[in-house]
PDB file of all heavy atoms in Angstrom:
ATOM      1  N   LEU A  95      -2.119 -23.391  25.246  1.00  0.00           N
ATOM      2  CA  LEU A  95      -2.360 -21.966  24.988  1.00  0.00           C
ATOM      3  C   LEU A  95      -1.338 -21.160  25.779  1.00  0.00           C
ATOM      4  O   LEU A  95      -1.453 -21.031  27.001  1.00  0.00           O
ATOM      5  CB  LEU A  95      -3.774 -21.577  25.423  1.00  0.00           C
ATOM      6  CG  LEU A  95      -4.909 -22.359  24.770  1.00  0.00           C
ATOM      7  CD1 LEU A  95      -6.257 -21.921  25.336  1.00  0.00           C
ATOM      8  CD2 LEU A  95      -4.896 -22.179  23.248  1.00  0.00           C
ATOM      9  N   GLY A  97      -0.095 -17.999  24.618  1.00  0.00           N
ATOM     10  CA  GLY A  97       0.055 -16.714  23.935  1.00  0.00           C
ATOM     11  C   GLY A  97      -0.282 -15.525  24.821  1.00  0.00           C
ATOM     12  O   GLY A  97      -0.146 -14.384  24.410  1.00  0.00           O
ATOM     13  N   GLN A  99      -0.205 -12.749  27.998  1.00  0.00           N
ATOM     14  CA  GLN A  99       0.891 -11.882  28.418  1.00  0.00           C
ATOM     15  C   GLN A  99       1.184 -12.004  29.909  1.00  0.00           C
ATOM     16  O   GLN A  99       2.190 -11.502  30.384  1.00  0.00           O
ATOM     17  CB  GLN A  99       0.576 -10.432  28.043  1.00  0.00           C
ATOM     18  CG  GLN A  99       0.651 -10.245  26.528  1.00  0.00           C
ATOM     19  CD  GLN A  99       0.292  -8.839  26.096  1.00  0.00           C
ATOM     20  OE1 GLN A  99      -0.857  -8.469  26.057  1.00  0.00           O
ATOM     21  NE2 GLN A  99       1.303  -8.058  25.794  1.00  0.00           N
ATOM     22  N   THR A 101       0.032 -10.592  32.492  1.00  0.00           N
ATOM     23  CA  THR A 101       0.306  -9.292  33.115  1.00  0.00           C
ATOM     24  C   THR A 101       0.117  -9.329  34.636  1.00  0.00           C
ATOM     25  O   THR A 101       0.845  -8.674  35.364  1.00  0.00           O
ATOM     26  CB  THR A 101      -0.601  -8.186  32.522  1.00  0.00           C
ATOM     27  OG1 THR A 101      -1.922  -8.693  32.425  1.00  0.00           O
ATOM     28  CG2 THR A 101      -0.128  -7.748  31.169  1.00  0.00           C
ATOM     29  N   ARG A 102      -0.853 -10.142  35.098  1.00  0.00           N
ATOM     30  CA  ARG A 102      -1.115 -10.167  36.538  1.00  0.00           C
ATOM     31  C   ARG A 102       0.050 -10.758  37.322  1.00  0.00           C
ATOM     32  O   ARG A 102       0.274 -10.452  38.478  1.00  0.00           O
ATOM     33  CB  ARG A 102      -2.387 -10.980  36.828  1.00  0.00           C
ATOM     34  CG  ARG A 102      -3.645 -10.193  36.575  1.00  0.00           C
ATOM     35  CD  ARG A 102      -4.863 -11.063  36.631  1.00  0.00           C
ATOM     36  NE  ARG A 102      -4.973 -11.946  35.481  1.00  0.00           N
ATOM     37  CZ  ARG A 102      -5.901 -12.882  35.344  1.00  0.00           C
ATOM     38  NH1 ARG A 102      -6.775 -13.067  36.300  1.00  0.00           N
ATOM     39  NH2 ARG A 102      -5.940 -13.632  34.257  1.00  0.00           N
ATOM     40  N   GLN A 177      -0.255 -16.854  17.465  1.00  0.00           N
ATOM     41  CA  GLN A 177      -1.659 -16.445  17.373  1.00  0.00           C
ATOM     42  C   GLN A 177      -1.786 -15.088  16.679  1.00  0.00           C
ATOM     43  O   GLN A 177      -0.827 -14.326  16.601  1.00  0.00           O
ATOM     44  CB  GLN A 177      -2.289 -16.400  18.762  1.00  0.00           C
ATOM     45  CG  GLN A 177      -1.868 -15.237  19.620  1.00  0.00           C
ATOM     46  CD  GLN A 177      -2.681 -15.195  20.918  1.00  0.00           C
ATOM     47  OE1 GLN A 177      -2.276 -15.769  21.921  1.00  0.00           O
ATOM     48  NE2 GLN A 177      -3.816 -14.525  20.880  1.00  0.00           N
ATOM     49  N   VAL A 233      -1.696 -22.484  30.066  1.00  0.00           N
ATOM     50  CA  VAL A 233      -0.336 -22.610  30.582  1.00  0.00           C
ATOM     51  C   VAL A 233      -0.296 -22.441  32.092  1.00  0.00           C
ATOM     52  O   VAL A 233       0.651 -22.875  32.742  1.00  0.00           O
ATOM     53  CB  VAL A 233       0.590 -21.574  29.890  1.00  0.00           C
ATOM     54  CG1 VAL A 233       0.353 -20.156  30.399  1.00  0.00           C
ATOM     55  CG2 VAL A 233       2.044 -21.931  30.048  1.00  0.00           C
ATOM     56  N   LYS A 383      -2.172 -17.294  38.595  1.00  0.00           N
ATOM     57  CA  LYS A 383      -2.633 -16.077  37.908  1.00  0.00           C
ATOM     58  C   LYS A 383      -1.941 -14.841  38.469  1.00  0.00           C
ATOM     59  O   LYS A 383      -1.586 -13.932  37.737  1.00  0.00           O
ATOM     60  CB  LYS A 383      -4.152 -15.896  38.091  1.00  0.00           C
ATOM     61  CG  LYS A 383      -5.007 -16.980  37.457  1.00  0.00           C
ATOM     62  CD  LYS A 383      -5.197 -16.749  35.985  1.00  0.00           C
ATOM     63  CE  LYS A 383      -6.174 -17.745  35.377  1.00  0.00           C
ATOM     64  NZ  LYS A 383      -6.101 -17.748  33.908  1.00  0.00           N
TER      65      LYS A 383
HETATM   66  P1  LIG B 501      -5.540 -15.432  30.920  1.00  0.00           P
HETATM   67  O1  LIG B 501      -6.938 -15.099  30.653  1.00  0.00           O
HETATM   68  O2  LIG B 501      -5.163 -15.749  32.328  1.00  0.00           O
HETATM   69  O3  LIG B 501      -4.633 -14.252  30.359  1.00  0.00           O
HETATM   70  O4  LIG B 501      -5.126 -16.625  29.981  1.00  0.00           O
HETATM   71  P2  LIG B 501      -3.079 -13.983  30.437  1.00  0.00           P
HETATM   72  O5  LIG B 501      -2.786 -13.054  29.301  1.00  0.00           O
HETATM   73  O6  LIG B 501      -2.254 -15.239  30.470  1.00  0.00           O
HETATM   74  O7  LIG B 501      -2.863 -13.279  31.847  1.00  0.00           O
HETATM   75  P3  LIG B 501      -3.244 -11.804  32.318  1.00  0.00           P
HETATM   76  O8  LIG B 501      -4.738 -11.697  32.262  1.00  0.00           O
HETATM   77  O9  LIG B 501      -2.542 -10.850  31.402  1.00  0.00           O
HETATM   78  O10 LIG B 501      -2.687 -11.774  33.716  1.00  0.00           O
HETATM   79  C1  LIG B 501      -5.654 -17.923  30.093  1.00  0.00           C
HETATM   80  C2  LIG B 501      -4.901 -18.797  29.109  1.00  0.00           C
HETATM   81  O11 LIG B 501      -5.107 -18.334  27.776  1.00  0.00           O
HETATM   82  C3  LIG B 501      -3.864 -18.062  27.157  1.00  0.00           C
HETATM   83  C4  LIG B 501      -2.889 -17.807  28.307  1.00  0.00           C
HETATM   84  O12 LIG B 501      -1.551 -18.025  27.890  1.00  0.00           O
HETATM   85  C5  LIG B 501      -3.378 -18.805  29.331  1.00  0.00           C
HETATM   86  O13 LIG B 501      -2.909 -20.101  29.016  1.00  0.00           O
HETATM   87  N1  LIG B 501      -3.991 -16.882  26.274  1.00  0.00           N
HETATM   88  C6  LIG B 501      -4.584 -15.749  26.739  1.00  0.00           C
HETATM   89  C7  LIG B 501      -3.516 -16.966  24.997  1.00  0.00           C
HETATM   90  O14 LIG B 501      -2.961 -18.006  24.588  1.00  0.00           O
HETATM   91  N2  LIG B 501      -3.652 -15.878  24.200  1.00  0.00           N
HETATM   92  C8  LIG B 501      -4.226 -14.725  24.610  1.00  0.00           C
HETATM   93  O15 LIG B 501      -4.313 -13.764  23.813  1.00  0.00           O
HETATM   94  C9  LIG B 501      -4.716 -14.668  25.917  1.00  0.00           C
END
Side-chain angles (χ1 to χ4, degrees):
L95 302 177
Q99 289 178 283
T101 44
R102 280 170 288 175
Q177 74 173 91
V233 74
K383 296 279 186 195

